[in-house]
Amino acid sequence: MTAPLEIAANVLMTASIILAGRNNIHSWWIGMVGCVLFAVLFFQVNLYADVMLQLFFIVTCVIGWLQWRRGAGGKPLPITRTGWRSLAWVVPAGIASVAIYGLLLHRFTNAYAPFIDSAVLVFSIIAQFLLMNRRIETWAFWLLVNTVAVPLYYSRGLHLTAVLYAAYWVNALISWYWWGVQARRAAQAPAATADA
């Protein structure tokens, strides 16, 4: 039987993730509440890296909400791309961080699947920073996170969470496409105005 805490956490996070994919600012405060519930849930099943991740998410939800609200020079923060140079150091740094944090969890805690749990933590952090800055590549990282998270959560008996993370995988694909459409429209808007 699925615990009420798991149901509530998933309902809120589903709403937050769908709103993020639709580029809606309300994603942030709903996500904050969902993260608090998930932190408690993950602590109960010894997924300590995921607990730390939820605490990180709470802080970044506040920052993301402020960034999206403030925008860029009074205008909405635009959807942009991350350069290849940035990705060329971010991905290897992420892999190294997974190895280091996984070793620490393995050595000093009773964490379940410390390296897999660490991968969810590290690449979620990267994805979250990209999301906060409205970078399209956020969705590629969320696809990776969800791919790893689904079997991890299922193996800990969090079946509803695993199913919803599978749905988040689909949402990330759709959102990746949708953000690309919005970015192209925004890029064409000034040209259309100049031609008028």
Side-chain angles (χ1 to χ4, degrees):
M1 182 174 161
T2 305
L5 176 62
E6 185 180 0
I7 294 170
N10 275 291
V11 166
L12 288 169
M13 288 311 297
T14 299
S16 174
I17 288 167
I18 290 171
L19 288 171
R22 304 309 171 264
N23 208 15
N24 188 304
I25 196 169
H26 296 295
S27 164
W28 295 107
W29 68 266
I30 293 171
M32 236 183 299
V33 179
C35 288
V36 170
L37 299 181
F38 265 123
V40 175
L41 180 66
F42 290 140
F43 184 80
Q44 291 175 350
V45 295
N46 301 340
L47 292 175
Y48 304 126
D50 274 299
V51 173
M52 296 305 297
L53 177 61
Q54 299 311 309
L55 299 178
F56 165 81
F57 279 159
I58 291 166
V59 172
T60 56
C61 280
V62 174
I63 296 168
W65 177 72
L66 291 173
Q67 283 184 200
W68 280 32
R69 190 166 179 232
R70 186 170 42 240
K75 297 178 181 176
L77 193 64
I79 296 171
T80 56
R81 295 191 177 275
T82 304
W84 284 109
R85 282 186 211 165
S86 296
L87 292 174
W89 70 264
V90 165
V91 172
I95 293 168
S97 299
V98 168
I100 292 166
Y101 195 60
L103 282 170
L104 290 172
L105 287 177
H106 178 70
R107 177 76 175 87
F108 297 109
T109 74
N110 65 338
Y112 177 82
F115 293 97
I116 297 171
D117 199 18
S118 294
V120 171
L121 167 75
V122 170
F123 287 104
S124 291
I125 289 172
I126 293 169
Q128 186 77 348
F129 278 122
L130 292 172
L131 180 63
M132 288 165 57
N133 290 292
R134 279 189 170 148
R135 301 296 176 119
I136 290 176
E137 292 78 10
T138 187
W139 300 110
F141 282 95
W142 286 124
L143 282 171
L144 172 63
V145 168
N146 296 332
T147 299
V148 174
V150 169
L152 175 65
Y153 297 153
Y154 191 85
S155 70
R156 295 309 285 158
L158 302 174
H159 300 139
L160 175 61
T161 302
V163 168
L164 286 173
Y165 267 71
Y168 299 159
W169 193 93
V170 175
N171 180 71
L173 271 181
I174 294 168
S175 298
W176 195 353
Y177 168 77
W178 176 238
W179 278 37
V181 169
Q182 289 183 302
R184 284 190 296 277
R185 284 181 187 162
Q188 292 169 357
T193 304
D195 292 342

Short mmCIF file of all heavy atoms in Angstrom, two decimals, residues 126-178:
data_model
loop_
_atom_site.label_atom_id
_atom_site.label_comp_id
_atom_site.label_asym_id
_atom_site.label_seq_id
_atom_site.Cartn_x
_atom_site.Cartn_y
_atom_site.Cartn_z
N ILE A 126 22.86 19.60 -11.58
CA ILE A 126 23.21 20.22 -12.86
C ILE A 126 21.95 20.62 -13.62
O ILE A 126 21.83 21.75 -14.12
CB ILE A 126 24.07 19.26 -13.70
CG1 ILE A 126 25.44 19.05 -13.04
CG2 ILE A 126 24.24 19.79 -15.13
CD1 ILE A 126 26.26 17.92 -13.63
N ALA A 127 20.99 19.70 -13.68
CA ALA A 127 19.73 19.98 -14.39
C ALA A 127 18.99 21.16 -13.76
O ALA A 127 18.42 22.00 -14.47
CB ALA A 127 18.85 18.74 -14.40
N GLN A 128 19.01 21.22 -12.43
CA GLN A 128 18.30 22.29 -11.74
C GLN A 128 18.92 23.66 -12.03
O GLN A 128 18.20 24.64 -12.26
CB GLN A 128 18.30 22.04 -10.23
CG GLN A 128 17.47 23.03 -9.43
CD GLN A 128 15.98 22.80 -9.51
OE1 GLN A 128 15.50 22.02 -10.35
NE2 GLN A 128 15.23 23.45 -8.66
N PHE A 129 20.25 23.75 -12.05
CA PHE A 129 20.90 25.01 -12.39
C PHE A 129 20.55 25.44 -13.82
O PHE A 129 20.31 26.62 -14.09
CB PHE A 129 22.42 24.92 -12.22
CG PHE A 129 22.87 25.13 -10.80
CD1 PHE A 129 23.61 24.17 -10.14
CD2 PHE A 129 22.55 26.30 -10.12
CE1 PHE A 129 24.03 24.36 -8.83
CE2 PHE A 129 22.96 26.50 -8.81
CZ PHE A 129 23.71 25.53 -8.16
N LEU A 130 20.52 24.47 -14.73
CA LEU A 130 20.15 24.79 -16.11
C LEU A 130 18.69 25.25 -16.18
O LEU A 130 18.36 26.18 -16.93
CB LEU A 130 20.38 23.57 -17.01
CG LEU A 130 21.84 23.16 -17.22
CD1 LEU A 130 21.92 21.83 -17.95
CD2 LEU A 130 22.62 24.23 -17.96
N LEU A 131 17.82 24.61 -15.41
CA LEU A 131 16.40 24.99 -15.38
C LEU A 131 16.25 26.41 -14.84
O LEU A 131 15.48 27.21 -15.38
CB LEU A 131 15.60 24.01 -14.53
CG LEU A 131 14.10 24.28 -14.40
CD1 LEU A 131 13.40 24.17 -15.75
CD2 LEU A 131 13.48 23.30 -13.40
N MET A 132 16.97 26.72 -13.76
CA MET A 132 16.88 28.05 -13.16
C MET A 132 17.25 29.14 -14.16
O MET A 132 16.72 30.25 -14.10
CB MET A 132 17.81 28.13 -11.94
CG MET A 132 17.33 27.33 -10.76
SD MET A 132 18.63 27.09 -9.52
CE MET A 132 19.09 28.77 -9.15
N ASN A 133 18.16 28.81 -15.08
CA ASN A 133 18.61 29.78 -16.08
C ASN A 133 17.92 29.62 -17.42
O ASN A 133 18.33 30.21 -18.42
CB ASN A 133 20.13 29.68 -16.25
CG ASN A 133 20.84 30.19 -15.01
OD1 ASN A 133 20.81 31.37 -14.72
ND2 ASN A 133 21.46 29.29 -14.26
N ARG A 134 16.87 28.80 -17.44
CA ARG A 134 16.07 28.53 -18.65
C ARG A 134 16.95 28.10 -19.82
O ARG A 134 16.84 28.62 -20.93
CB ARG A 134 15.22 29.74 -19.02
CG ARG A 134 13.95 29.84 -18.20
CD ARG A 134 13.01 30.90 -18.71
NE ARG A 134 11.71 30.80 -18.04
CZ ARG A 134 10.92 31.83 -17.77
NH1 ARG A 134 11.26 33.04 -18.13
NH2 ARG A 134 9.77 31.65 -17.17
N ARG A 135 17.78 27.09 -19.58
CA ARG A 135 18.61 26.50 -20.64
C ARG A 135 17.93 25.24 -21.15
O ARG A 135 17.55 24.37 -20.35
CB ARG A 135 20.00 26.15 -20.10
CG ARG A 135 20.76 27.34 -19.53
CD ARG A 135 21.07 28.38 -20.60
NE ARG A 135 21.72 29.54 -20.02
CZ ARG A 135 22.93 29.94 -20.36
NH1 ARG A 135 23.63 29.29 -21.27
NH2 ARG A 135 23.43 31.02 -19.79
N ILE A 136 17.82 25.11 -22.44
CA ILE A 136 17.12 23.97 -23.04
C ILE A 136 17.72 22.64 -22.61
O ILE A 136 17.00 21.65 -22.41
CB ILE A 136 17.12 24.10 -24.59
CG1 ILE A 136 16.21 25.25 -25.01
CG2 ILE A 136 16.67 22.79 -25.25
CD1 ILE A 136 16.22 25.54 -26.49
N GLU A 137 19.02 22.59 -22.43
CA GLU A 137 19.70 21.33 -22.10
C GLU A 137 19.28 20.76 -20.76
O GLU A 137 19.58 19.60 -20.46
CB GLU A 137 21.21 21.53 -22.14
CG GLU A 137 21.78 21.78 -23.52
CD GLU A 137 21.56 23.20 -24.02
OE1 GLU A 137 21.13 24.07 -23.22
OE2 GLU A 137 21.81 23.44 -25.22
N THR A 138 18.57 21.55 -19.95
CA THR A 138 18.07 21.02 -18.69
C THR A 138 17.31 19.72 -18.91
O THR A 138 17.41 18.79 -18.12
CB THR A 138 17.17 22.05 -17.95
OG1 THR A 138 16.85 21.53 -16.65
CG2 THR A 138 15.88 22.35 -18.69
N TRP A 139 16.55 19.66 -20.01
CA TRP A 139 15.70 18.48 -20.23
C TRP A 139 16.49 17.24 -20.60
O TRP A 139 16.08 16.12 -20.27
CB TRP A 139 14.63 18.82 -21.27
CG TRP A 139 13.79 19.96 -20.78
CD1 TRP A 139 13.76 21.24 -21.26
CD2 TRP A 139 12.93 19.94 -19.64
NE1 TRP A 139 12.92 22.01 -20.50
CE2 TRP A 139 12.40 21.24 -19.50
CE3 TRP A 139 12.55 18.96 -18.71
CZ2 TRP A 139 11.50 21.58 -18.49
CZ3 TRP A 139 11.66 19.30 -17.70
CH2 TRP A 139 11.14 20.59 -17.60
N ALA A 140 17.65 17.39 -21.22
CA ALA A 140 18.50 16.22 -21.49
C ALA A 140 19.01 15.64 -20.18
O ALA A 140 19.04 14.41 -19.99
CB ALA A 140 19.68 16.63 -22.37
N PHE A 141 19.39 16.51 -19.24
CA PHE A 141 19.86 16.03 -17.94
C PHE A 141 18.72 15.42 -17.13
O PHE A 141 18.93 14.43 -16.43
CB PHE A 141 20.55 17.16 -17.17
CG PHE A 141 21.94 17.44 -17.66
CD1 PHE A 141 22.17 18.43 -18.60
CD2 PHE A 141 23.01 16.69 -17.22
CE1 PHE A 141 23.45 18.69 -19.07
CE2 PHE A 141 24.31 16.93 -17.68
CZ PHE A 141 24.52 17.94 -18.61
N TRP A 142 17.52 15.99 -17.24
CA TRP A 142 16.39 15.38 -16.53
C TRP A 142 16.06 14.00 -17.11
O TRP A 142 15.65 13.10 -16.38
CB TRP A 142 15.16 16.29 -16.57
CG TRP A 142 15.26 17.48 -15.66
CD1 TRP A 142 15.14 18.79 -16.01
CD2 TRP A 142 15.50 17.47 -14.24
NE1 TRP A 142 15.31 19.58 -14.89
CE2 TRP A 142 15.53 18.81 -13.80
CE3 TRP A 142 15.71 16.45 -13.30
CZ2 TRP A 142 15.75 19.16 -12.47
CZ3 TRP A 142 15.93 16.80 -11.97
CH2 TRP A 142 15.95 18.14 -11.57
N LEU A 143 16.25 13.83 -18.41
CA LEU A 143 16.05 12.49 -19.00
C LEU A 143 17.02 11.49 -18.38
O LEU A 143 16.63 10.37 -18.03
CB LEU A 143 16.26 12.53 -20.52
CG LEU A 143 15.12 13.08 -21.35
CD1 LEU A 143 15.56 13.26 -22.80
CD2 LEU A 143 13.91 12.16 -21.28
N LEU A 144 18.28 11.89 -18.23
CA LEU A 144 19.28 11.02 -17.60
C LEU A 144 18.90 10.70 -16.16
O LEU A 144 18.92 9.54 -15.75
CB LEU A 144 20.65 11.70 -17.65
CG LEU A 144 21.77 11.00 -16.87
CD1 LEU A 144 22.05 9.62 -17.45
CD2 LEU A 144 23.02 11.86 -16.86
N VAL A 145 18.54 11.72 -15.40
CA VAL A 145 18.17 11.53 -14.00
C VAL A 145 16.99 10.57 -13.88
O VAL A 145 17.01 9.63 -13.07
CB VAL A 145 17.83 12.88 -13.34
CG1 VAL A 145 17.15 12.69 -11.99
CG2 VAL A 145 19.09 13.72 -13.19
N ASN A 146 15.97 10.79 -14.67
CA ASN A 146 14.77 9.94 -14.58
C ASN A 146 15.06 8.51 -14.99
O ASN A 146 14.50 7.56 -14.41
CB ASN A 146 13.65 10.53 -15.43
CG ASN A 146 13.19 11.89 -14.91
OD1 ASN A 146 13.30 12.18 -13.73
ND2 ASN A 146 12.71 12.73 -15.80
N THR A 147 15.95 8.33 -15.96
CA THR A 147 16.32 6.98 -16.38
C THR A 147 16.97 6.21 -15.24
O THR A 147 16.72 5.01 -15.05
CB THR A 147 17.29 7.06 -17.58
OG1 THR A 147 16.63 7.73 -18.67
CG2 THR A 147 17.73 5.68 -18.03
N VAL A 148 17.81 6.89 -14.46
CA VAL A 148 18.49 6.25 -13.33
C VAL A 148 17.56 6.11 -12.13
O VAL A 148 17.59 5.11 -11.41
CB VAL A 148 19.74 7.08 -12.94
CG1 VAL A 148 20.38 6.54 -11.68
CG2 VAL A 148 20.74 7.09 -14.09
N ALA A 149 16.70 7.11 -11.92
CA ALA A 149 15.86 7.14 -10.72
C ALA A 149 14.75 6.10 -10.72
O ALA A 149 14.40 5.56 -9.66
CB ALA A 149 15.25 8.54 -10.55
N VAL A 150 14.19 5.79 -11.88
CA VAL A 150 13.05 4.86 -11.93
C VAL A 150 13.39 3.51 -11.30
O VAL A 150 12.71 3.07 -10.36
CB VAL A 150 12.52 4.70 -13.37
CG1 VAL A 150 11.53 3.53 -13.45
CG2 VAL A 150 11.84 5.98 -13.83
N PRO A 151 14.45 2.81 -11.73
CA PRO A 151 14.75 1.52 -11.09
C PRO A 151 15.22 1.66 -9.63
O PRO A 151 14.95 0.78 -8.81
CB PRO A 151 15.86 0.92 -11.97
CG PRO A 151 16.41 2.05 -12.76
CD PRO A 151 15.32 3.06 -12.89
N LEU A 152 15.87 2.77 -9.31
CA LEU A 152 16.32 2.99 -7.93
C LEU A 152 15.13 3.08 -6.99
O LEU A 152 15.08 2.39 -5.96
CB LEU A 152 17.15 4.27 -7.84
CG LEU A 152 17.59 4.68 -6.43
CD1 LEU A 152 18.55 3.65 -5.83
CD2 LEU A 152 18.21 6.07 -6.45
N TYR A 153 14.16 3.90 -7.32
CA TYR A 153 13.00 4.08 -6.44
C TYR A 153 12.14 2.82 -6.39
O TYR A 153 11.62 2.46 -5.34
CB TYR A 153 12.18 5.29 -6.88
CG TYR A 153 12.94 6.59 -6.79
CD1 TYR A 153 12.64 7.66 -7.60
CD2 TYR A 153 13.99 6.74 -5.88
CE1 TYR A 153 13.34 8.85 -7.52
CE2 TYR A 153 14.71 7.93 -5.81
CZ TYR A 153 14.37 8.98 -6.62
OH TYR A 153 15.07 10.15 -6.53
N TYR A 154 12.03 2.14 -7.53
CA TYR A 154 11.25 0.90 -7.54
C TYR A 154 11.87 -0.13 -6.61
O TYR A 154 11.17 -0.83 -5.88
CB TYR A 154 11.15 0.36 -8.97
CG TYR A 154 10.14 -0.75 -9.10
CD1 TYR A 154 8.80 -0.47 -9.31
CD2 TYR A 154 10.54 -2.09 -8.99
CE1 TYR A 154 7.87 -1.48 -9.42
CE2 TYR A 154 9.61 -3.11 -9.09
CZ TYR A 154 8.28 -2.80 -9.30
OH TYR A 154 7.35 -3.82 -9.39
N SER A 155 13.20 -0.20 -6.62
CA SER A 155 13.89 -1.20 -5.79
C SER A 155 13.74 -0.92 -4.30
O SER A 155 13.94 -1.81 -3.48
CB SER A 155 15.38 -1.25 -6.16
OG SER A 155 16.05 -0.07 -5.74
N ARG A 156 13.38 0.31 -3.93
CA ARG A 156 13.17 0.66 -2.52
C ARG A 156 11.70 0.61 -2.14
O ARG A 156 11.31 1.03 -1.06
CB ARG A 156 13.72 2.06 -2.22
CG ARG A 156 15.22 2.17 -2.36
CD ARG A 156 15.97 1.11 -1.60
NE ARG A 156 15.99 1.36 -0.17
CZ ARG A 156 16.19 0.43 0.77
NH1 ARG A 156 16.38 -0.83 0.41
NH2 ARG A 156 16.21 0.75 2.03
N GLY A 157 10.87 0.06 -3.02
CA GLY A 157 9.45 -0.08 -2.72
C GLY A 157 8.64 1.18 -2.94
O GLY A 157 7.46 1.24 -2.58
N LEU A 158 9.26 2.20 -3.54
CA LEU A 158 8.55 3.45 -3.84
C LEU A 158 7.96 3.34 -5.25
O LEU A 158 8.37 4.02 -6.19
CB LEU A 158 9.51 4.64 -3.72
CG LEU A 158 10.19 4.82 -2.36
CD1 LEU A 158 11.21 5.94 -2.42
CD2 LEU A 158 9.15 5.10 -1.28
N HIS A 159 6.97 2.46 -5.38
CA HIS A 159 6.45 2.13 -6.70
C HIS A 159 5.75 3.30 -7.37
O HIS A 159 5.91 3.52 -8.58
CB HIS A 159 5.53 0.91 -6.60
CG HIS A 159 6.24 -0.29 -6.08
ND1 HIS A 159 5.69 -1.16 -5.17
CD2 HIS A 159 7.50 -0.77 -6.31
CE1 HIS A 159 6.56 -2.12 -4.88
NE2 HIS A 159 7.66 -1.89 -5.56
N LEU A 160 4.96 4.05 -6.62
CA LEU A 160 4.28 5.21 -7.20
C LEU A 160 5.30 6.23 -7.69
O LEU A 160 5.18 6.76 -8.79
CB LEU A 160 3.35 5.86 -6.16
CG LEU A 160 2.67 7.16 -6.60
CD1 LEU A 160 1.80 6.94 -7.83
CD2 LEU A 160 1.86 7.76 -5.45
N THR A 161 6.32 6.47 -6.89
CA THR A 161 7.37 7.42 -7.27
C THR A 161 8.07 6.94 -8.53
O THR A 161 8.34 7.73 -9.44
CB THR A 161 8.37 7.60 -6.11
OG1 THR A 161 7.67 8.06 -4.95
CG2 THR A 161 9.47 8.58 -6.47
N ALA A 162 8.35 5.65 -8.63
CA ALA A 162 9.01 5.10 -9.82
C ALA A 162 8.14 5.29 -11.07
O ALA A 162 8.64 5.69 -12.13
CB ALA A 162 9.31 3.62 -9.61
N VAL A 163 6.85 5.02 -10.94
CA VAL A 163 5.94 5.19 -12.08
C VAL A 163 5.88 6.65 -12.51
O VAL A 163 5.93 6.96 -13.70
CB VAL A 163 4.53 4.66 -11.72
CG1 VAL A 163 3.51 5.08 -12.77
CG2 VAL A 163 4.55 3.14 -11.58
N LEU A 164 5.81 7.54 -11.54
CA LEU A 164 5.73 8.95 -11.89
C LEU A 164 7.04 9.46 -12.47
O LEU A 164 7.03 10.30 -13.38
CB LEU A 164 5.31 9.77 -10.66
CG LEU A 164 3.83 9.62 -10.34
CD1 LEU A 164 3.47 10.30 -9.04
CD2 LEU A 164 2.95 10.17 -11.46
N TYR A 165 8.17 8.94 -12.01
CA TYR A 165 9.44 9.35 -12.62
C TYR A 165 9.53 8.84 -14.05
O TYR A 165 10.17 9.47 -14.89
CB TYR A 165 10.63 8.89 -11.78
CG TYR A 165 11.07 9.95 -10.80
CD1 TYR A 165 10.29 10.28 -9.68
CD2 TYR A 165 12.25 10.65 -10.98
CE1 TYR A 165 10.68 11.26 -8.78
CE2 TYR A 165 12.66 11.64 -10.09
CZ TYR A 165 11.86 11.93 -9.00
OH TYR A 165 12.24 12.92 -8.13
N ALA A 166 8.89 7.73 -14.35
CA ALA A 166 8.82 7.27 -15.74
C ALA A 166 7.98 8.26 -16.56
O ALA A 166 8.32 8.58 -17.70
CB ALA A 166 8.21 5.87 -15.80
N ALA A 167 6.91 8.76 -15.95
CA ALA A 167 6.10 9.79 -16.62
C ALA A 167 6.88 11.08 -16.78
O ALA A 167 6.76 11.78 -17.80
CB ALA A 167 4.81 10.03 -15.84
N TYR A 168 7.72 11.42 -15.78
CA TYR A 168 8.55 12.61 -15.88
C TYR A 168 9.54 12.49 -17.03
O TYR A 168 9.93 13.49 -17.64
CB TYR A 168 9.33 12.86 -14.58
CG TYR A 168 8.49 13.08 -13.35
CD1 TYR A 168 9.01 12.88 -12.09
CD2 TYR A 168 7.15 13.48 -13.45
CE1 TYR A 168 8.25 13.08 -10.95
CE2 TYR A 168 6.38 13.67 -12.31
CZ TYR A 168 6.93 13.47 -11.06
OH TYR A 168 6.19 13.66 -9.94
N TRP A 169 9.97 11.25 -17.31
CA TRP A 169 10.86 11.01 -18.45
C TRP A 169 10.18 11.45 -19.74
O TRP A 169 10.77 12.14 -20.58
CB TRP A 169 11.22 9.52 -18.49
CG TRP A 169 12.34 9.16 -19.40
CD1 TRP A 169 13.66 9.04 -19.07
CD2 TRP A 169 12.24 8.85 -20.80
NE1 TRP A 169 14.39 8.68 -20.18
CE2 TRP A 169 13.55 8.56 -21.25
CE3 TRP A 169 11.20 8.80 -21.71
CZ2 TRP A 169 13.82 8.22 -22.57
CZ3 TRP A 169 11.47 8.48 -23.03
CH2 TRP A 169 12.76 8.18 -23.45
N VAL A 170 8.91 11.06 -19.88
CA VAL A 170 8.14 11.46 -21.07
C VAL A 170 7.94 12.97 -21.07
O VAL A 170 8.09 13.64 -22.10
CB VAL A 170 6.78 10.73 -21.10
CG1 VAL A 170 5.91 11.24 -22.25
CG2 VAL A 170 6.98 9.22 -21.19
N ASN A 171 7.64 13.54 -19.90
CA ASN A 171 7.46 14.98 -19.79
C ASN A 171 8.73 15.73 -20.21
O ASN A 171 8.67 16.77 -20.85
CB ASN A 171 7.07 15.37 -18.36
CG ASN A 171 6.87 16.85 -18.21
OD1 ASN A 171 5.89 17.42 -18.71
ND2 ASN A 171 7.79 17.52 -17.53
N ALA A 172 9.90 15.18 -19.83
CA ALA A 172 11.16 15.83 -20.20
C ALA A 172 11.34 15.87 -21.72
O ALA A 172 11.80 16.88 -22.26
CB ALA A 172 12.34 15.12 -19.53
N LEU A 173 10.96 14.78 -22.39
CA LEU A 173 11.04 14.76 -23.86
C LEU A 173 10.14 15.83 -24.46
O LEU A 173 10.54 16.59 -25.35
CB LEU A 173 10.61 13.39 -24.39
CG LEU A 173 11.67 12.31 -24.54
CD1 LEU A 173 11.03 11.05 -25.11
CD2 LEU A 173 12.82 12.77 -25.43
N ILE A 174 8.89 15.88 -23.98
CA ILE A 174 7.92 16.85 -24.50
C ILE A 174 8.38 18.28 -24.20
O ILE A 174 8.31 19.17 -25.05
CB ILE A 174 6.53 16.58 -23.91
CG1 ILE A 174 6.01 15.23 -24.41
CG2 ILE A 174 5.55 17.70 -24.25
CD1 ILE A 174 4.78 14.72 -23.66
N SER A 175 8.87 18.48 -22.99
CA SER A 175 9.31 19.82 -22.58
C SER A 175 10.52 20.27 -23.38
O SER A 175 10.64 21.45 -23.73
CB SER A 175 9.62 19.83 -21.08
OG SER A 175 8.47 19.52 -20.34
N TRP A 176 11.43 19.35 -23.66
CA TRP A 176 12.60 19.66 -24.47
C TRP A 176 12.16 20.20 -25.84
O TRP A 176 12.65 21.21 -26.33
CB TRP A 176 13.44 18.40 -24.62
CG TRP A 176 14.84 18.60 -25.11
CD1 TRP A 176 15.42 19.75 -25.57
CD2 TRP A 176 15.85 17.59 -25.20
NE1 TRP A 176 16.73 19.51 -25.93
CE2 TRP A 176 17.02 18.20 -25.72
CE3 TRP A 176 15.88 16.24 -24.90
CZ2 TRP A 176 18.21 17.50 -25.94
CZ3 TRP A 176 17.07 15.53 -25.12
CH2 TRP A 176 18.20 16.16 -25.63
N TYR A 177 11.19 19.50 -26.43
CA TYR A 177 10.64 19.94 -27.72
C TYR A 177 9.95 21.30 -27.58
O TYR A 177 10.18 22.22 -28.38
CB TYR A 177 9.66 18.90 -28.26
CG TYR A 177 8.85 19.41 -29.42
CD1 TYR A 177 9.40 19.48 -30.69
CD2 TYR A 177 7.53 19.83 -29.24
CE1 TYR A 177 8.66 19.96 -31.76
CE2 TYR A 177 6.79 20.32 -30.30
CZ TYR A 177 7.36 20.39 -31.56
OH TYR A 177 6.62 20.87 -32.62
N TRP A 178 9.12 21.46 -26.55
CA TRP A 178 8.33 22.68 -26.37
C TRP A 178 9.23 23.89 -26.12
O TRP A 178 9.00 24.96 -26.66
CB TRP A 178 7.34 22.48 -25.24
CG TRP A 178 6.54 23.70 -24.90
CD1 TRP A 178 6.46 24.34 -23.70
CD2 TRP A 178 5.67 24.44 -25.77
NE1 TRP A 178 5.63 25.43 -23.77
CE2 TRP A 178 5.12 25.50 -25.04
CE3 TRP A 178 5.31 24.30 -27.11
CZ2 TRP A 178 4.24 26.43 -25.58
CZ3 TRP A 178 4.42 25.23 -27.67
CH2 TRP A 178 3.91 26.27 -26.90
#
